[in-house]
Amino acid sequence: METGYQNRLQADPCKSRDCHPVCLEFFNYWNGLRDDSLVPSRRSFLPEEIPQLLGSFILVELISDDEILTRLAGSQVVENFGFDPKGVNYLDFVDQSRRHLASMNIWTTHRQPCGVWALTEQHYPEGKAVRSEMLGLPLDGDGISGPLVLFLRHAVSKPQFLHKKPGHQPTNNILDLKFIDIGAGVPAGPLPTPE
Protein backbone atom coordinates (compact mmCIF):
# COMPACT_ATOMS: atom_id res chain seq x y z
CA MET A 1 0.00 0.00 0.00
CA GLU A 2 1.40 3.39 -0.96
CA THR A 3 1.60 6.15 1.61
CA GLY A 4 1.18 9.87 1.06
CA TYR A 5 4.96 10.24 1.11
CA GLN A 6 5.40 7.76 -1.71
CA ASN A 7 2.63 9.34 -3.76
CA ARG A 8 4.38 12.70 -3.47
CA LEU A 9 7.68 11.33 -4.74
CA GLN A 10 6.87 9.63 -8.01
CA ALA A 11 8.50 12.46 -9.98
CA ASP A 12 12.24 12.82 -10.54
CA PRO A 13 13.61 14.02 -7.18
CA CYS A 14 16.21 16.13 -8.96
CA LYS A 15 13.51 17.86 -11.05
CA SER A 16 15.20 20.39 -13.34
CA ARG A 17 18.64 18.78 -13.06
CA ASP A 18 19.96 15.91 -15.08
CA CYS A 19 20.43 13.49 -12.21
CA HIS A 20 22.41 10.43 -13.17
CA PRO A 21 20.24 7.28 -13.47
CA VAL A 22 22.33 5.62 -10.74
CA CYS A 23 21.29 8.37 -8.29
CA LEU A 24 17.66 7.90 -9.29
CA GLU A 25 18.00 4.15 -8.78
CA PHE A 26 19.29 4.79 -5.26
CA PHE A 27 16.48 7.27 -4.54
CA ASN A 28 13.84 4.80 -5.70
CA TYR A 29 15.35 2.06 -3.51
CA TRP A 30 15.41 4.37 -0.46
CA ASN A 31 11.86 5.57 -1.16
CA GLY A 32 10.70 1.94 -1.21
CA LEU A 33 12.07 1.43 2.33
CA ARG A 34 9.53 3.83 3.81
CA ASP A 35 6.28 2.57 5.25
CA ASP A 36 4.23 5.14 7.16
CA SER A 37 7.27 7.13 8.27
CA LEU A 38 8.95 10.05 6.54
CA VAL A 39 12.44 8.64 7.20
CA PRO A 40 13.04 4.90 6.85
CA SER A 41 14.56 2.75 9.56
CA ARG A 42 18.22 1.75 9.47
CA ARG A 43 17.05 -1.85 9.87
CA SER A 44 15.15 -1.60 6.60
CA PHE A 45 18.35 -0.87 4.65
CA LEU A 46 19.62 -4.20 3.34
CA PRO A 47 22.70 -3.65 1.16
CA GLU A 48 22.42 -7.11 -0.38
CA GLU A 49 19.23 -5.94 -2.12
CA ILE A 50 21.23 -3.49 -4.26
CA PRO A 51 24.66 -5.08 -4.80
CA GLN A 52 25.22 -2.98 -7.94
CA LEU A 53 25.33 0.19 -5.78
CA LEU A 54 27.08 -1.14 -2.70
CA GLY A 55 30.61 -0.08 -3.67
CA SER A 56 29.55 3.57 -3.91
CA PHE A 57 27.87 4.00 -0.51
CA ILE A 58 29.05 6.06 2.44
CA LEU A 59 27.01 5.81 5.66
CA VAL A 60 27.61 8.54 8.24
CA GLU A 61 26.32 8.98 11.79
CA LEU A 62 25.51 12.49 13.00
CA ILE A 63 27.12 12.87 16.42
CA SER A 64 27.42 16.66 16.78
CA ASP A 65 27.89 19.74 14.58
CA ASP A 66 31.65 19.05 14.65
CA GLU A 67 31.57 15.27 14.38
CA ILE A 68 29.98 13.22 11.62
CA LEU A 69 31.44 9.73 11.82
CA THR A 70 31.88 7.50 8.79
CA ARG A 71 30.27 4.16 9.68
CA LEU A 72 30.48 2.38 6.33
CA ALA A 73 32.32 2.96 3.07
CA GLY A 74 31.87 0.88 -0.07
CA SER A 75 34.75 -0.77 -1.90
CA GLN A 76 34.93 1.92 -4.62
CA VAL A 77 35.07 4.65 -1.97
CA VAL A 78 37.84 2.80 -0.09
CA GLU A 79 39.80 2.30 -3.31
CA ASN A 80 39.58 5.99 -4.21
CA PHE A 81 40.50 7.17 -0.71
CA GLY A 82 43.41 4.77 -0.50
CA PHE A 83 42.23 3.63 2.94
CA ASP A 84 39.01 2.65 4.73
CA PRO A 85 37.55 5.85 6.26
CA LYS A 86 35.36 3.91 8.70
CA GLY A 87 35.49 5.65 12.09
CA VAL A 88 36.92 8.87 10.63
CA ASN A 89 35.14 12.22 11.02
CA TYR A 90 33.67 12.88 7.56
CA LEU A 91 34.26 16.60 8.11
CA ASP A 92 38.02 15.94 8.07
CA PHE A 93 37.67 15.62 4.28
CA VAL A 94 36.30 19.16 3.99
CA ASP A 95 38.44 22.31 3.88
CA GLN A 96 38.53 23.97 7.32
CA SER A 97 36.84 27.13 6.00
CA ARG A 98 33.83 25.11 4.78
CA ARG A 99 33.40 22.60 7.62
CA HIS A 100 30.56 24.50 9.32
CA LEU A 101 28.62 24.80 6.05
CA ALA A 102 29.17 21.12 5.22
CA SER A 103 28.00 20.07 8.69
CA MET A 104 24.92 22.31 8.44
CA ASN A 105 23.98 20.86 5.05
CA ILE A 106 24.32 17.26 6.24
CA TRP A 107 22.42 17.90 9.49
CA THR A 108 19.59 19.54 7.48
CA THR A 109 18.71 16.10 6.09
CA HIS A 110 17.42 15.21 9.57
CA ARG A 111 16.39 18.57 10.96
CA GLN A 112 14.06 19.27 7.99
CA PRO A 113 14.06 16.26 7.02
CA CYS A 114 15.01 16.18 3.35
CA GLY A 115 17.49 14.75 0.88
CA VAL A 116 20.60 16.52 -0.41
CA TRP A 117 22.06 16.37 -3.91
CA ALA A 118 25.51 17.75 -4.73
CA LEU A 119 27.92 17.95 -7.60
CA THR A 120 31.34 17.48 -6.04
CA GLU A 121 34.98 17.28 -6.97
CA GLN A 122 37.06 14.85 -4.94
CA HIS A 123 40.84 15.01 -4.74
CA TYR A 124 42.45 11.71 -3.77
CA PRO A 125 45.87 10.89 -2.27
CA GLU A 126 47.53 9.78 -5.54
CA GLY A 127 46.76 13.14 -7.18
CA LYS A 128 43.54 12.08 -8.90
CA ALA A 129 40.54 14.41 -9.14
CA VAL A 130 37.05 13.10 -9.98
CA ARG A 131 33.74 14.89 -10.36
CA SER A 132 30.81 13.02 -8.83
CA GLU A 133 27.15 13.35 -8.08
CA MET A 134 26.32 12.66 -4.45
CA LEU A 135 22.85 11.93 -3.18
CA GLY A 136 22.35 11.81 0.59
CA LEU A 137 19.16 10.50 2.20
CA PRO A 138 18.32 10.18 5.91
CA LEU A 139 17.90 6.97 7.88
CA ASP A 140 16.58 6.67 11.42
CA GLY A 141 19.16 5.18 13.78
CA ASP A 142 16.47 3.02 15.43
CA GLY A 143 17.66 4.07 18.90
CA ILE A 144 20.87 2.11 18.32
CA SER A 145 22.83 5.03 16.89
CA GLY A 146 22.40 8.71 16.22
CA PRO A 147 20.68 9.85 13.04
CA LEU A 148 22.26 8.48 9.86
CA VAL A 149 22.70 9.72 6.31
CA LEU A 150 23.30 7.27 3.50
CA PHE A 151 25.23 8.82 0.61
CA LEU A 152 25.70 7.42 -2.85
CA ARG A 153 28.72 8.81 -4.70
CA HIS A 154 28.73 8.25 -8.46
CA ALA A 155 31.56 9.50 -10.70
CA VAL A 156 30.37 11.60 -13.64
CA SER A 157 33.83 12.33 -15.08
CA LYS A 158 36.94 10.35 -15.83
CA PRO A 159 39.77 10.82 -13.32
CA GLN A 160 42.23 13.61 -14.03
CA PHE A 161 45.70 13.51 -12.55
CA LEU A 162 46.62 16.92 -11.23
CA HIS A 163 49.94 16.23 -9.51
CA LYS A 164 52.20 13.48 -8.22
CA LYS A 165 52.27 14.10 -4.49
CA PRO A 166 51.12 10.82 -2.99
CA GLY A 167 49.82 10.70 0.54
CA HIS A 168 47.93 13.98 0.89
CA GLN A 169 44.56 13.96 2.65
CA PRO A 170 41.50 13.31 0.42
CA THR A 171 39.27 16.38 0.05
CA ASN A 172 35.71 16.90 -1.13
CA ASN A 173 34.78 20.22 -2.78
CA ILE A 174 31.11 21.10 -3.38
CA LEU A 175 30.48 22.68 -6.79
CA ASP A 176 26.68 22.76 -6.58
CA LEU A 177 24.14 21.67 -3.97
CA LYS A 178 20.39 21.49 -3.53
CA PHE A 179 17.98 19.95 -1.08
CA ILE A 180 15.31 17.48 -2.18
CA ASP A 181 11.78 17.48 -0.79
CA ILE A 182 10.97 14.03 0.60
CA GLY A 183 7.61 15.13 2.00
CA ALA A 184 8.48 17.80 4.60
CA GLY A 185 9.59 20.62 2.30
CA VAL A 186 13.08 22.05 1.93
CA PRO A 187 14.85 24.81 3.85
CA ALA A 188 13.61 28.33 3.10
CA GLY A 189 15.93 30.90 1.61
CA PRO A 190 18.90 30.61 -0.70
CA LEU A 191 21.73 28.18 -0.07
CA PRO A 192 25.16 29.63 0.60
CA THR A 193 26.99 29.71 -2.71
CA PRO A 194 29.97 27.37 -2.95
CA GLU A 195 33.26 29.22 -3.34
Side-chain angles (χ1 to χ4, degrees), residues 76-90:
Q76 187 63 49
V77 174
V78 170
E79 181 182 328
N80 285 331
F81 273 54
F83 64 93
D84 188 345
K86 183 177 178 181
V88 176
N89 186 350
Y90 184 79

Side-chain angles (χ1 to χ4, degrees), residues 88-116:
V88 176
N89 186 350
Y90 184 79
L91 296 174
D92 288 347
F93 305 123
V94 179
D95 184 85
Q96 188 67 33
S97 66
R98 300 187 54 78
R99 281 174 66 114
H100 175 73
L101 177 60
S103 175
M104 180 180 70
N105 287 334
I106 294 170
W107 270 97
T108 296
T109 64
H110 276 276
R111 290 178 175 148
Q112 184 71 31
C114 60
V116 63

Side-chain angles (χ1 to χ4, degrees), residues 37-56:
S37 58
L38 186 58
V39 175
S41 157
R42 165 64 181 92
R43 284 186 288 260
S44 68
F45 170 54
L46 302 173
E48 61 272 17
E49 293 181 344
I50 44 170
Q52 70 279 16
L53 302 180
L54 190 54
S56 301

Side-chain angles (χ1 to χ4, degrees), residues 58 80-81 90 92-95 98 117-125 127-135 152-163 168-177 194-195:
I58 302 171
N80 285 331
F81 273 54
Y90 184 79
D92 288 347
F93 305 123
V94 179
D95 184 85
R98 300 187 54 78
W117 174 93
L119 179 64
T120 67
E121 186 173 81
Q122 291 86 38
H123 293 255
Y124 295 113
K128 179 172 68 174
V130 180
R131 284 200 176 183
S132 299
E133 281 189 29
M134 286 188 74
L135 181 59
L152 178 86
R153 176 178 283 171
H154 181 75
V156 294
S157 75
K158 293 186 176 180
Q160 295 182 357
F161 286 87
L162 305 178
H163 58 75
H168 76 83
Q169 177 79 349
T171 57
N172 187 43
N173 301 315
I174 303 294
L175 305 176
D176 193 10
L177 182 144
E195 295 174 0

